[in-house]
Amino acid sequence: MRPLTPALACDPRRSVVVEACAGSGKTWLLTARIARALLEGCSPGAILALTFTNKAAEEMQSRVWQALEELGRLSPQGLRNQFSEWGVPEDRLQACLAQAPRVLERLLLSPERPFVGTFHAWYLRLLA
């Protein structure tokens, strides 16, 4: 098994299940994945992030919004640093740099939002 790097773990083209102990960075990882997916053109309504508690879901959603707001304020070098931390490969760097100032606006104008919530809320939504 290969060690998990940010480039692999944060790549929105991969499906992953994140299972780890408290304080290990799960919320950071999922926030980075959601932000990268939006940067790379994913429809907001196509994003599903599930957790076990309402508190964790609220924290994740808050961090996603903060990350997207921050992208609009960062300098080009700050964006490069952020994207490096998120494992954005060189071949997609320019596209992400171009999208960064508009990614929050695109999300706000979208009729759909990412679903960030509990397993229970998702199942209830499916049954409705």
Side-chain angles (χ1 to χ4, degrees):
M1 181 189 284
R2 295 188 310 188
L4 198 58
T5 65
L8 290 174
C10 296
D11 188 344
R13 296 173 300 167
R14 295 177 175 273
S15 293
V16 299
V17 173
V18 180
E19 192 175 359
C21 62
S24 61
K26 294 181 299 293
T27 303
W28 175 89
L29 174 64
L30 292 170
T31 298
R33 286 180 59 82
I34 292 168
R36 270 194 59 185
L38 292 168
L39 275 169
E40 295 188 29
C42 181
S43 168
I47 295 173
L48 173 65
L50 299 174
T51 187
F52 288 102
T53 67
N54 288 322
K55 182 178 178 185
E58 290 166 10
E59 177 67 21
M60 193 182 327
Q61 191 149 17
S62 172
R63 287 198 203 178
V64 168
W65 285 97
Q66 288 172 357
L68 297 179
E69 287 172 359
E70 183 72 17
L71 292 179
R73 293 191 294 263
L74 288 173
S75 68
Q77 186 57 50
L79 287 170
R80 287 177 191 277
N81 293 343
Q82 181 65 70
F83 295 159
S84 175
E85 187 177 322
W86 289 348
V88 174
E90 192 64 36
D91 66 328
R92 293 203 303 274
L93 182 60
Q94 290 305 317
C96 287
L97 286 169
Q99 287 299 315
R102 294 183 299 280
V103 70
L104 180 61
E105 178 183 8
R106 190 169 64 85
L107 176 61
L108 291 171
L109 293 175
S110 174
E112 299 177 313
R113 296 280 187 266
F115 183 88
V116 179
T118 64
F119 288 92
H120 298 95
W122 175 248
Y123 297 141
L124 287 172
R125 188 177 187 187
L126 288 175
L127 292 173

PDB file of all heavy atoms in Angstrom, residues 12-51:
ATOM      1  N   PRO A  12      -9.890  15.386  -5.941  1.00  0.00           N
ATOM      2  CA  PRO A  12     -11.345  15.184  -6.033  1.00  0.00           C
ATOM      3  C   PRO A  12     -11.761  14.152  -7.076  1.00  0.00           C
ATOM      4  O   PRO A  12     -12.911  13.738  -7.103  1.00  0.00           O
ATOM      5  CB  PRO A  12     -11.866  16.583  -6.403  1.00  0.00           C
ATOM      6  CG  PRO A  12     -10.724  17.265  -7.044  1.00  0.00           C
ATOM      7  CD  PRO A  12      -9.479  16.698  -6.418  1.00  0.00           C
ATOM      8  N   ARG A  13     -10.831  13.700  -7.906  1.00  0.00           N
ATOM      9  CA  ARG A  13     -11.174  12.669  -8.895  1.00  0.00           C
ATOM     10  C   ARG A  13     -11.161  11.275  -8.294  1.00  0.00           C
ATOM     11  O   ARG A  13     -11.562  10.318  -8.925  1.00  0.00           O
ATOM     12  CB  ARG A  13     -10.203  12.736 -10.077  1.00  0.00           C
ATOM     13  CG  ARG A  13     -10.314  14.058 -10.844  1.00  0.00           C
ATOM     14  CD  ARG A  13      -9.260  14.193 -11.886  1.00  0.00           C
ATOM     15  NE  ARG A  13      -7.961  14.136 -11.222  1.00  0.00           N
ATOM     16  CZ  ARG A  13      -6.817  13.969 -11.857  1.00  0.00           C
ATOM     17  NH1 ARG A  13      -6.789  13.838 -13.153  1.00  0.00           N
ATOM     18  NH2 ARG A  13      -5.683  13.935 -11.195  1.00  0.00           N
ATOM     19  N   ARG A  14     -10.714  11.162  -7.051  1.00  0.00           N
ATOM     20  CA  ARG A  14     -10.663   9.874  -6.365  1.00  0.00           C
ATOM     21  C   ARG A  14     -11.813   9.797  -5.364  1.00  0.00           C
ATOM     22  O   ARG A  14     -12.137  10.769  -4.714  1.00  0.00           O
ATOM     23  CB  ARG A  14      -9.353   9.716  -5.598  1.00  0.00           C
ATOM     24  CG  ARG A  14      -8.149   9.672  -6.460  1.00  0.00           C
ATOM     25  CD  ARG A  14      -6.908   9.586  -5.581  1.00  0.00           C
ATOM     26  NE  ARG A  14      -5.724   9.426  -6.376  1.00  0.00           N
ATOM     27  CZ  ARG A  14      -5.246   8.255  -6.789  1.00  0.00           C
ATOM     28  NH1 ARG A  14      -5.842   7.144  -6.452  1.00  0.00           N
ATOM     29  NH2 ARG A  14      -4.169   8.203  -7.523  1.00  0.00           N
ATOM     30  N   SER A  15     -12.367   8.633  -5.212  1.00  0.00           N
ATOM     31  CA  SER A  15     -13.355   8.394  -4.163  1.00  0.00           C
ATOM     32  C   SER A  15     -12.603   7.903  -2.936  1.00  0.00           C
ATOM     33  O   SER A  15     -11.726   7.044  -3.058  1.00  0.00           O
ATOM     34  CB  SER A  15     -14.363   7.336  -4.592  1.00  0.00           C
ATOM     35  OG  SER A  15     -15.142   7.821  -5.646  1.00  0.00           O
ATOM     36  N   VAL A  16     -12.933   8.453  -1.797  1.00  0.00           N
ATOM     37  CA  VAL A  16     -12.243   8.037  -0.576  1.00  0.00           C
ATOM     38  C   VAL A  16     -13.224   7.933   0.576  1.00  0.00           C
ATOM     39  O   VAL A  16     -14.264   8.569   0.583  1.00  0.00           O
ATOM     40  CB  VAL A  16     -11.101   9.006  -0.166  1.00  0.00           C
ATOM     41  CG1 VAL A  16     -10.037   9.097  -1.225  1.00  0.00           C
ATOM     42  CG2 VAL A  16     -11.639  10.364   0.173  1.00  0.00           C
ATOM     43  N   VAL A  17     -12.856   7.115   1.528  1.00  0.00           N
ATOM     44  CA  VAL A  17     -13.517   7.052   2.820  1.00  0.00           C
ATOM     45  C   VAL A  17     -12.445   7.470   3.818  1.00  0.00           C
ATOM     46  O   VAL A  17     -11.347   6.919   3.817  1.00  0.00           O
ATOM     47  CB  VAL A  17     -14.024   5.628   3.142  1.00  0.00           C
ATOM     48  CG1 VAL A  17     -14.546   5.550   4.562  1.00  0.00           C
ATOM     49  CG2 VAL A  17     -15.098   5.216   2.148  1.00  0.00           C
ATOM     50  N   VAL A  18     -12.757   8.458   4.631  1.00  0.00           N
ATOM     51  CA  VAL A  18     -11.789   8.952   5.608  1.00  0.00           C
ATOM     52  C   VAL A  18     -12.217   8.457   6.974  1.00  0.00           C
ATOM     53  O   VAL A  18     -13.292   8.784   7.453  1.00  0.00           O
ATOM     54  CB  VAL A  18     -11.721  10.499   5.590  1.00  0.00           C
ATOM     55  CG1 VAL A  18     -10.720  10.994   6.610  1.00  0.00           C
ATOM     56  CG2 VAL A  18     -11.390  10.993   4.199  1.00  0.00           C
ATOM     57  N   GLU A  19     -11.372   7.667   7.569  1.00  0.00           N
ATOM     58  CA  GLU A  19     -11.655   7.077   8.869  1.00  0.00           C
ATOM     59  C   GLU A  19     -10.392   7.204   9.701  1.00  0.00           C
ATOM     60  O   GLU A  19      -9.354   6.636   9.365  1.00  0.00           O
ATOM     61  CB  GLU A  19     -12.031   5.611   8.674  1.00  0.00           C
ATOM     62  CG  GLU A  19     -12.606   4.946   9.867  1.00  0.00           C
ATOM     63  CD  GLU A  19     -13.048   3.529   9.533  1.00  0.00           C
ATOM     64  OE1 GLU A  19     -12.922   3.079   8.386  1.00  0.00           O
ATOM     65  OE2 GLU A  19     -13.513   2.867  10.474  1.00  0.00           O
ATOM     66  N   ALA A  20     -10.470   7.992  10.776  1.00  0.00           N
ATOM     67  CA  ALA A  20      -9.280   8.218  11.607  1.00  0.00           C
ATOM     68  C   ALA A  20      -9.715   8.717  12.973  1.00  0.00           C
ATOM     69  O   ALA A  20     -10.863   9.092  13.184  1.00  0.00           O
ATOM     70  CB  ALA A  20      -8.349   9.210  10.941  1.00  0.00           C
ATOM     71  N   CYS A  21      -8.758   8.750  13.888  1.00  0.00           N
ATOM     72  CA  CYS A  21      -9.062   9.169  15.258  1.00  0.00           C
ATOM     73  C   CYS A  21      -9.262  10.694  15.332  1.00  0.00           C
ATOM     74  O   CYS A  21      -8.923  11.425  14.405  1.00  0.00           O
ATOM     75  CB  CYS A  21      -7.938   8.738  16.206  1.00  0.00           C
ATOM     76  SG  CYS A  21      -6.361   9.482  15.813  1.00  0.00           S
ATOM     77  N   ALA A  22      -9.812  11.138  16.441  1.00  0.00           N
ATOM     78  CA  ALA A  22     -10.049  12.560  16.670  1.00  0.00           C
ATOM     79  C   ALA A  22      -8.738  13.331  16.607  1.00  0.00           C
ATOM     80  O   ALA A  22      -7.702  12.861  17.080  1.00  0.00           O
ATOM     81  CB  ALA A  22     -10.708  12.757  18.031  1.00  0.00           C
ATOM     82  N   GLY A  23      -8.794  14.503  15.987  1.00  0.00           N
ATOM     83  CA  GLY A  23      -7.622  15.359  15.931  1.00  0.00           C
ATOM     84  C   GLY A  23      -6.604  14.981  14.877  1.00  0.00           C
ATOM     85  O   GLY A  23      -5.519  15.560  14.826  1.00  0.00           O
ATOM     86  N   SER A  24      -6.947  14.059  13.989  1.00  0.00           N
ATOM     87  CA  SER A  24      -5.980  13.582  13.003  1.00  0.00           C
ATOM     88  C   SER A  24      -5.999  14.382  11.704  1.00  0.00           C
ATOM     89  O   SER A  24      -5.155  14.166  10.842  1.00  0.00           O
ATOM     90  CB  SER A  24      -6.230  12.111  12.704  1.00  0.00           C
ATOM     91  OG  SER A  24      -7.527  11.955  12.160  1.00  0.00           O
ATOM     92  N   GLY A  25      -6.975  15.283  11.526  1.00  0.00           N
ATOM     93  CA  GLY A  25      -7.031  16.106  10.324  1.00  0.00           C
ATOM     94  C   GLY A  25      -8.116  15.729   9.337  1.00  0.00           C
ATOM     95  O   GLY A  25      -8.071  16.134   8.176  1.00  0.00           O
ATOM     96  N   LYS A  26      -9.116  14.980   9.781  1.00  0.00           N
ATOM     97  CA  LYS A  26     -10.197  14.567   8.875  1.00  0.00           C
ATOM     98  C   LYS A  26     -10.941  15.779   8.316  1.00  0.00           C
ATOM     99  O   LYS A  26     -11.202  15.835   7.112  1.00  0.00           O
ATOM    100  CB  LYS A  26     -11.197  13.653   9.594  1.00  0.00           C
ATOM    101  CG  LYS A  26     -10.648  12.319  10.029  1.00  0.00           C
ATOM    102  CD  LYS A  26     -11.700  11.474  10.712  1.00  0.00           C
ATOM    103  CE  LYS A  26     -12.279  12.089  11.960  1.00  0.00           C
ATOM    104  NZ  LYS A  26     -11.381  12.223  13.095  1.00  0.00           N
ATOM    105  N   THR A  27     -11.268  16.740   9.161  1.00  0.00           N
ATOM    106  CA  THR A  27     -12.024  17.906   8.703  1.00  0.00           C
ATOM    107  C   THR A  27     -11.183  18.722   7.731  1.00  0.00           C
ATOM    108  O   THR A  27     -11.689  19.192   6.708  1.00  0.00           O
ATOM    109  CB  THR A  27     -12.488  18.760   9.892  1.00  0.00           C
ATOM    110  OG1 THR A  27     -13.273  17.935  10.757  1.00  0.00           O
ATOM    111  CG2 THR A  27     -13.336  19.939   9.438  1.00  0.00           C
ATOM    112  N   TRP A  28      -9.888  18.874   8.015  1.00  0.00           N
ATOM    113  CA  TRP A  28      -9.000  19.581   7.093  1.00  0.00           C
ATOM    114  C   TRP A  28      -9.002  18.889   5.729  1.00  0.00           C
ATOM    115  O   TRP A  28      -9.132  19.530   4.687  1.00  0.00           O
ATOM    116  CB  TRP A  28      -7.569  19.633   7.645  1.00  0.00           C
ATOM    117  CG  TRP A  28      -6.630  20.248   6.673  1.00  0.00           C
ATOM    118  CD1 TRP A  28      -6.324  21.584   6.549  1.00  0.00           C
ATOM    119  CD2 TRP A  28      -5.911  19.585   5.618  1.00  0.00           C
ATOM    120  NE1 TRP A  28      -5.457  21.774   5.497  1.00  0.00           N
ATOM    121  CE2 TRP A  28      -5.189  20.559   4.907  1.00  0.00           C
ATOM    122  CE3 TRP A  28      -5.807  18.259   5.220  1.00  0.00           C
ATOM    123  CZ2 TRP A  28      -4.376  20.261   3.823  1.00  0.00           C
ATOM    124  CZ3 TRP A  28      -4.999  17.949   4.132  1.00  0.00           C
ATOM    125  CH2 TRP A  28      -4.290  18.944   3.444  1.00  0.00           C
ATOM    126  N   LEU A  29      -8.861  17.578   5.740  1.00  0.00           N
ATOM    127  CA  LEU A  29      -8.802  16.811   4.498  1.00  0.00           C
ATOM    128  C   LEU A  29     -10.094  16.968   3.695  1.00  0.00           C
ATOM    129  O   LEU A  29     -10.066  17.232   2.489  1.00  0.00           O
ATOM    130  CB  LEU A  29      -8.537  15.336   4.796  1.00  0.00           C
ATOM    131  CG  LEU A  29      -8.592  14.397   3.602  1.00  0.00           C
ATOM    132  CD1 LEU A  29      -7.500  14.732   2.603  1.00  0.00           C
ATOM    133  CD2 LEU A  29      -8.485  12.959   4.056  1.00  0.00           C
ATOM    134  N   LEU A  30     -11.225  16.817   4.338  1.00  0.00           N
ATOM    135  CA  LEU A  30     -12.500  16.925   3.621  1.00  0.00           C
ATOM    136  C   LEU A  30     -12.747  18.354   3.131  1.00  0.00           C
ATOM    137  O   LEU A  30     -13.279  18.553   2.042  1.00  0.00           O
ATOM    138  CB  LEU A  30     -13.641  16.434   4.506  1.00  0.00           C
ATOM    139  CG  LEU A  30     -13.586  14.928   4.768  1.00  0.00           C
ATOM    140  CD1 LEU A  30     -14.599  14.532   5.839  1.00  0.00           C
ATOM    141  CD2 LEU A  30     -13.822  14.144   3.498  1.00  0.00           C
ATOM    142  N   THR A  31     -12.342  19.336   3.913  1.00  0.00           N
ATOM    143  CA  THR A  31     -12.452  20.731   3.478  1.00  0.00           C
ATOM    144  C   THR A  31     -11.615  20.956   2.221  1.00  0.00           C
ATOM    145  O   THR A  31     -12.085  21.564   1.250  1.00  0.00           O
ATOM    146  CB  THR A  31     -11.991  21.679   4.604  1.00  0.00           C
ATOM    147  OG1 THR A  31     -12.846  21.517   5.730  1.00  0.00           O
ATOM    148  CG2 THR A  31     -12.016  23.129   4.159  1.00  0.00           C
ATOM    149  N   ALA A  32     -10.385  20.464   2.234  1.00  0.00           N
ATOM    150  CA  ALA A  32      -9.504  20.607   1.073  1.00  0.00           C
ATOM    151  C   ALA A  32     -10.092  19.903  -0.146  1.00  0.00           C
ATOM    152  O   ALA A  32     -10.057  20.437  -1.260  1.00  0.00           O
ATOM    153  CB  ALA A  32      -8.119  20.057   1.396  1.00  0.00           C
ATOM    154  N   ARG A  33     -10.641  18.711   0.046  1.00  0.00           N
ATOM    155  CA  ARG A  33     -11.239  17.973  -1.077  1.00  0.00           C
ATOM    156  C   ARG A  33     -12.423  18.718  -1.678  1.00  0.00           C
ATOM    157  O   ARG A  33     -12.568  18.810  -2.894  1.00  0.00           O
ATOM    158  CB  ARG A  33     -11.678  16.575  -0.633  1.00  0.00           C
ATOM    159  CG  ARG A  33     -10.531  15.609  -0.434  1.00  0.00           C
ATOM    160  CD  ARG A  33     -11.038  14.244   0.001  1.00  0.00           C
ATOM    161  NE  ARG A  33     -11.959  13.660  -0.966  1.00  0.00           N
ATOM    162  CZ  ARG A  33     -11.601  13.000  -2.073  1.00  0.00           C
ATOM    163  NH1 ARG A  33     -10.329  12.843  -2.360  1.00  0.00           N
ATOM    164  NH2 ARG A  33     -12.502  12.495  -2.873  1.00  0.00           N
ATOM    165  N   ILE A  34     -13.282  19.267  -0.816  1.00  0.00           N
ATOM    166  CA  ILE A  34     -14.453  19.994  -1.309  1.00  0.00           C
ATOM    167  C   ILE A  34     -14.018  21.258  -2.043  1.00  0.00           C
ATOM    168  O   ILE A  34     -14.504  21.549  -3.140  1.00  0.00           O
ATOM    169  CB  ILE A  34     -15.423  20.310  -0.154  1.00  0.00           C
ATOM    170  CG1 ILE A  34     -16.047  19.016   0.373  1.00  0.00           C
ATOM    171  CG2 ILE A  34     -16.500  21.297  -0.611  1.00  0.00           C
ATOM    172  CD1 ILE A  34     -16.795  19.174   1.687  1.00  0.00           C
ATOM    173  N   ALA A  35     -13.099  22.012  -1.451  1.00  0.00           N
ATOM    174  CA  ALA A  35     -12.616  23.240  -2.101  1.00  0.00           C
ATOM    175  C   ALA A  35     -11.969  22.919  -3.447  1.00  0.00           C
ATOM    176  O   ALA A  35     -12.223  23.603  -4.450  1.00  0.00           O
ATOM    177  CB  ALA A  35     -11.637  23.962  -1.182  1.00  0.00           C
ATOM    178  N   ARG A  36     -11.144  21.871  -3.491  1.00  0.00           N
ATOM    179  CA  ARG A  36     -10.509  21.493  -4.756  1.00  0.00           C
ATOM    180  C   ARG A  36     -11.535  21.048  -5.786  1.00  0.00           C
ATOM    181  O   ARG A  36     -11.425  21.382  -6.971  1.00  0.00           O
ATOM    182  CB  ARG A  36      -9.498  20.369  -4.537  1.00  0.00           C
ATOM    183  CG  ARG A  36      -8.122  20.898  -4.233  1.00  0.00           C
ATOM    184  CD  ARG A  36      -7.056  19.858  -4.348  1.00  0.00           C
ATOM    185  NE  ARG A  36      -6.968  19.239  -5.667  1.00  0.00           N
ATOM    186  CZ  ARG A  36      -6.160  18.230  -5.944  1.00  0.00           C
ATOM    187  NH1 ARG A  36      -5.379  17.736  -5.003  1.00  0.00           N
ATOM    188  NH2 ARG A  36      -6.118  17.712  -7.150  1.00  0.00           N
ATOM    189  N   ALA A  37     -12.524  20.298  -5.365  1.00  0.00           N
ATOM    190  CA  ALA A  37     -13.553  19.863  -6.311  1.00  0.00           C
ATOM    191  C   ALA A  37     -14.252  21.066  -6.927  1.00  0.00           C
ATOM    192  O   ALA A  37     -14.467  21.121  -8.144  1.00  0.00           O
ATOM    193  CB  ALA A  37     -14.558  18.950  -5.609  1.00  0.00           C
ATOM    194  N   LEU A  38     -14.586  22.050  -6.106  1.00  0.00           N
ATOM    195  CA  LEU A  38     -15.238  23.253  -6.615  1.00  0.00           C
ATOM    196  C   LEU A  38     -14.296  24.041  -7.526  1.00  0.00           C
ATOM    197  O   LEU A  38     -14.712  24.547  -8.568  1.00  0.00           O
ATOM    198  CB  LEU A  38     -15.726  24.122  -5.457  1.00  0.00           C
ATOM    199  CG  LEU A  38     -16.880  23.522  -4.650  1.00  0.00           C
ATOM    200  CD1 LEU A  38     -17.102  24.306  -3.369  1.00  0.00           C
ATOM    201  CD2 LEU A  38     -18.151  23.454  -5.482  1.00  0.00           C
ATOM    202  N   LEU A  39     -13.039  24.146  -7.135  1.00  0.00           N
ATOM    203  CA  LEU A  39     -12.046  24.837  -7.967  1.00  0.00           C
ATOM    204  C   LEU A  39     -11.910  24.172  -9.329  1.00  0.00           C
ATOM    205  O   LEU A  39     -11.685  24.844 -10.333  1.00  0.00           O
ATOM    206  CB  LEU A  39     -10.671  24.806  -7.292  1.00  0.00           C
ATOM    207  CG  LEU A  39     -10.377  25.874  -6.279  1.00  0.00           C
ATOM    208  CD1 LEU A  39      -9.103  25.540  -5.525  1.00  0.00           C
ATOM    209  CD2 LEU A  39     -10.271  27.233  -6.937  1.00  0.00           C
ATOM    210  N   GLU A  40     -12.008  22.871  -9.357  1.00  0.00           N
ATOM    211  CA  GLU A  40     -11.793  22.137 -10.598  1.00  0.00           C
ATOM    212  C   GLU A  40     -13.081  21.937 -11.389  1.00  0.00           C
ATOM    213  O   GLU A  40     -13.135  21.132 -12.306  1.00  0.00           O
ATOM    214  CB  GLU A  40     -11.072  20.833 -10.296  1.00  0.00           C
ATOM    215  CG  GLU A  40      -9.677  21.111  -9.750  1.00  0.00           C
ATOM    216  CD  GLU A  40      -8.813  19.882  -9.586  1.00  0.00           C
ATOM    217  OE1 GLU A  40      -9.001  18.912 -10.348  1.00  0.00           O
ATOM    218  OE2 GLU A  40      -7.949  19.905  -8.701  1.00  0.00           O
ATOM    219  N   GLY A  41     -14.129  22.685 -11.012  1.00  0.00           N
ATOM    220  CA  GLY A  41     -15.339  22.727 -11.817  1.00  0.00           C
ATOM    221  C   GLY A  41     -16.455  21.789 -11.438  1.00  0.00           C
ATOM    222  O   GLY A  41     -17.462  21.708 -12.135  1.00  0.00           O
ATOM    223  N   CYS A  42     -16.334  21.087 -10.341  1.00  0.00           N
ATOM    224  CA  CYS A  42     -17.397  20.184  -9.904  1.00  0.00           C
ATOM    225  C   CYS A  42     -18.657  20.987  -9.580  1.00  0.00           C
ATOM    226  O   CYS A  42     -18.579  22.056  -8.971  1.00  0.00           O
ATOM    227  CB  CYS A  42     -16.931  19.421  -8.664  1.00  0.00           C
ATOM    228  SG  CYS A  42     -18.148  18.243  -8.045  1.00  0.00           S
ATOM    229  N   SER A  43     -19.793  20.474  -9.969  1.00  0.00           N
ATOM    230  CA  SER A  43     -21.060  21.104  -9.615  1.00  0.00           C
ATOM    231  C   SER A  43     -21.248  21.020  -8.097  1.00  0.00           C
ATOM    232  O   SER A  43     -21.058  19.952  -7.512  1.00  0.00           O
ATOM    233  CB  SER A  43     -22.199  20.369 -10.318  1.00  0.00           C
ATOM    234  OG  SER A  43     -23.438  20.765  -9.785  1.00  0.00           O
ATOM    235  N   PRO A  44     -21.613  22.127  -7.458  1.00  0.00           N
ATOM    236  CA  PRO A  44     -21.797  22.085  -6.002  1.00  0.00           C
ATOM    237  C   PRO A  44     -22.771  21.003  -5.544  1.00  0.00           C
ATOM    238  O   PRO A  44     -22.547  20.353  -4.524  1.00  0.00           O
ATOM    239  CB  PRO A  44     -22.325  23.487  -5.671  1.00  0.00           C
ATOM    240  CG  PRO A  44     -21.770  24.351  -6.745  1.00  0.00           C
ATOM    241  CD  PRO A  44     -21.785  23.485  -7.981  1.00  0.00           C
ATOM    242  N   GLY A  45     -23.826  20.769  -6.301  1.00  0.00           N
ATOM    243  CA  GLY A  45     -24.810  19.765  -5.922  1.00  0.00           C
ATOM    244  C   GLY A  45     -24.312  18.334  -6.038  1.00  0.00           C
ATOM    245  O   GLY A  45     -24.960  17.414  -5.552  1.00  0.00           O
ATOM    246  N   ALA A  46     -23.153  18.142  -6.669  1.00  0.00           N
ATOM    247  CA  ALA A  46     -22.589  16.801  -6.822  1.00  0.00           C
ATOM    248  C   ALA A  46     -21.685  16.418  -5.657  1.00  0.00           C
ATOM    249  O   ALA A  46     -21.141  15.321  -5.638  1.00  0.00           O
ATOM    250  CB  ALA A  46     -21.806  16.718  -8.127  1.00  0.00           C
ATOM    251  N   ILE A  47     -21.537  17.309  -4.686  1.00  0.00           N
ATOM    252  CA  ILE A  47     -20.635  17.056  -3.559  1.00  0.00           C
ATOM    253  C   ILE A  47     -21.430  16.541  -2.368  1.00  0.00           C
ATOM    254  O   ILE A  47     -22.425  17.141  -1.965  1.00  0.00           O
ATOM    255  CB  ILE A  47     -19.855  18.329  -3.188  1.00  0.00           C
ATOM    256  CG1 ILE A  47     -18.934  18.712  -4.356  1.00  0.00           C
ATOM    257  CG2 ILE A  47     -19.063  18.128  -1.900  1.00  0.00           C
ATOM    258  CD1 ILE A  47     -18.244  20.032  -4.198  1.00  0.00           C
ATOM    259  N   LEU A  48     -20.965  15.447  -1.813  1.00  0.00           N
ATOM    260  CA  LEU A  48     -21.590  14.820  -0.654  1.00  0.00           C
ATOM    261  C   LEU A  48     -20.507  14.541   0.387  1.00  0.00           C
ATOM    262  O   LEU A  48     -19.547  13.834   0.110  1.00  0.00           O
ATOM    263  CB  LEU A  48     -22.270  13.513  -1.058  1.00  0.00           C
ATOM    264  CG  LEU A  48     -22.831  12.638   0.054  1.00  0.00           C
ATOM    265  CD1 LEU A  48     -23.985  13.346   0.764  1.00  0.00           C
ATOM    266  CD2 LEU A  48     -23.287  11.308  -0.511  1.00  0.00           C
ATOM    267  N   ALA A  49     -20.645  15.136   1.564  1.00  0.00           N
ATOM    268  CA  ALA A  49     -19.702  14.898   2.665  1.00  0.00           C
ATOM    269  C   ALA A  49     -20.517  14.505   3.886  1.00  0.00           C
ATOM    270  O   ALA A  49     -21.335  15.278   4.380  1.00  0.00           O
ATOM    271  CB  ALA A  49     -18.877  16.151   2.950  1.00  0.00           C
ATOM    272  N   LEU A  50     -20.308  13.284   4.354  1.00  0.00           N
ATOM    273  CA  LEU A  50     -21.087  12.754   5.466  1.00  0.00           C
ATOM    274  C   LEU A  50     -20.225  12.569   6.705  1.00  0.00           C
ATOM    275  O   LEU A  50     -19.061  12.193   6.616  1.00  0.00           O
ATOM    276  CB  LEU A  50     -21.702  11.408   5.087  1.00  0.00           C
ATOM    277  CG  LEU A  50     -22.667  11.431   3.913  1.00  0.00           C
ATOM    278  CD1 LEU A  50     -23.100  10.028   3.551  1.00  0.00           C
ATOM    279  CD2 LEU A  50     -23.863  12.307   4.212  1.00  0.00           C
ATOM    280  N   THR A  51     -20.839  12.804   7.842  1.00  0.00           N
ATOM    281  CA  THR A  51     -20.168  12.623   9.120  1.00  0.00           C
ATOM    282  C   THR A  51     -21.194  12.082  10.111  1.00  0.00           C
ATOM    283  O   THR A  51     -22.352  11.882   9.768  1.00  0.00           O
ATOM    284  CB  THR A  51     -19.514  13.946   9.589  1.00  0.00           C
ATOM    285  OG1 THR A  51     -18.743  13.693  10.745  1.00  0.00           O
ATOM    286  CG2 THR A  51     -20.548  15.020   9.847  1.00  0.00           C
TER     287      THR A  51
END
